[in-house]
Amino acid sequence: MAIAFDAEDRERITACLLETAERLFAAHGVKKTSLEELVAPAGIAKSSFYAFFDSKEALYLEVMVRRAPLIGASLARAADRRPDTEALVEVMRALTDLLSNDPFYRRLLSHPDELRAVSRRVGEAEVARVNPYVVAPLVDFLRSGQRQGLIVDDLAPEILISVLRTVGLVVAHREDYGATYGEVLEATIRTLAVGLTRPTAPHSPGGRHETTDRGGRHLPYDR
């Protein structure tokens, strides 16, 4: 006989499942985490799990959605400045800090097959629920830079975000760099930032600045 859970029980058990999943998925991934491990701290049977989530992958997605506002806020703080080379540097540093210090997202980087498995199970549209928190602030930042002539405009913002994320590859392979890891990471960040921005001229009088277009002509824009 199915067990009926009241509202208080559902809230408590859901929170416990999310907390347990975040810890276990970060350590072992979706496939290697069993239902027994997920439900034990909540004190429910395996069969009762499906009263809360349709699958382990659906639970994985909810962990991502729950964490997305925190991640998005960190990236938004880094991007809350004039969209120039130094701002791109700070955005990529925020990304690498996240990947270095957050076990859940670090595993997501090193095991991209897990996110693909989640997408297949729950659908791309469901996975896209994290975009308003994580992707949208970066897209707005990059589009602003393109409008002001500070960031290259021959690539869509979504492609530029993928370029910025390549710094994660350095983080994922940090052991390969040994003692030079910090220097390699900083050099990679700086090289990408310079390559994706346009050189700016010194500030002009009146609070206006200048940059150049591809023909070398100076283009003023407001600060």
Side-chain angles (χ1 to χ4, degrees), residues 46-130:
K46 288 192 297 181
S47 58
S48 296
F49 173 85
Y50 297 101
F52 298 87
F53 296 97
D54 292 337
S55 63
K56 290 191 296 181
E57 290 80 6
L59 176 56
Y60 186 100
L61 173 63
E62 287 306 315
V63 173
M64 289 183 62
V65 171
R66 186 174 76 154
R67 295 186 57 73
L70 297 175
I71 305 307
S74 175
L75 296 177
R77 284 194 297 272
D80 187 23
R81 53 187 294 174
R82 182 169 174 258
D84 55 13
T85 303
E86 288 305 312
L88 279 181
V89 167
E90 290 306 313
V91 166
M92 283 185 279
R93 283 177 178 163
L95 282 170
T96 57
D97 286 346
L98 165 65
L99 296 173
S100 298
N101 301 318
D102 187 297
F104 184 83
Y105 279 93
R106 185 165 63 244
R107 183 173 179 91
L108 194 61
L109 172 68
S110 60
H111 296 76
D113 55 304
E114 293 184 358
L115 183 57
R116 289 193 292 269
V118 170
S119 297
R120 286 194 299 269
R121 184 64 183 265
V122 303
E124 292 287 347
E126 282 295 299
V127 174
R129 288 167 56 197
V130 303

Side-chain angles (χ1 to χ4, degrees), residues 12 33 67 76 92 128 146 150 160-161 172 210-211 213 221:
R12 174 184 60 80
T33 298
R67 295 186 57 73
M92 283 185 279
Q146 290 177 326
L150 295 170
L160 292 176
I161 289 174
E210 291 185 341
T211 186
D213 65 8
Y221 60 91

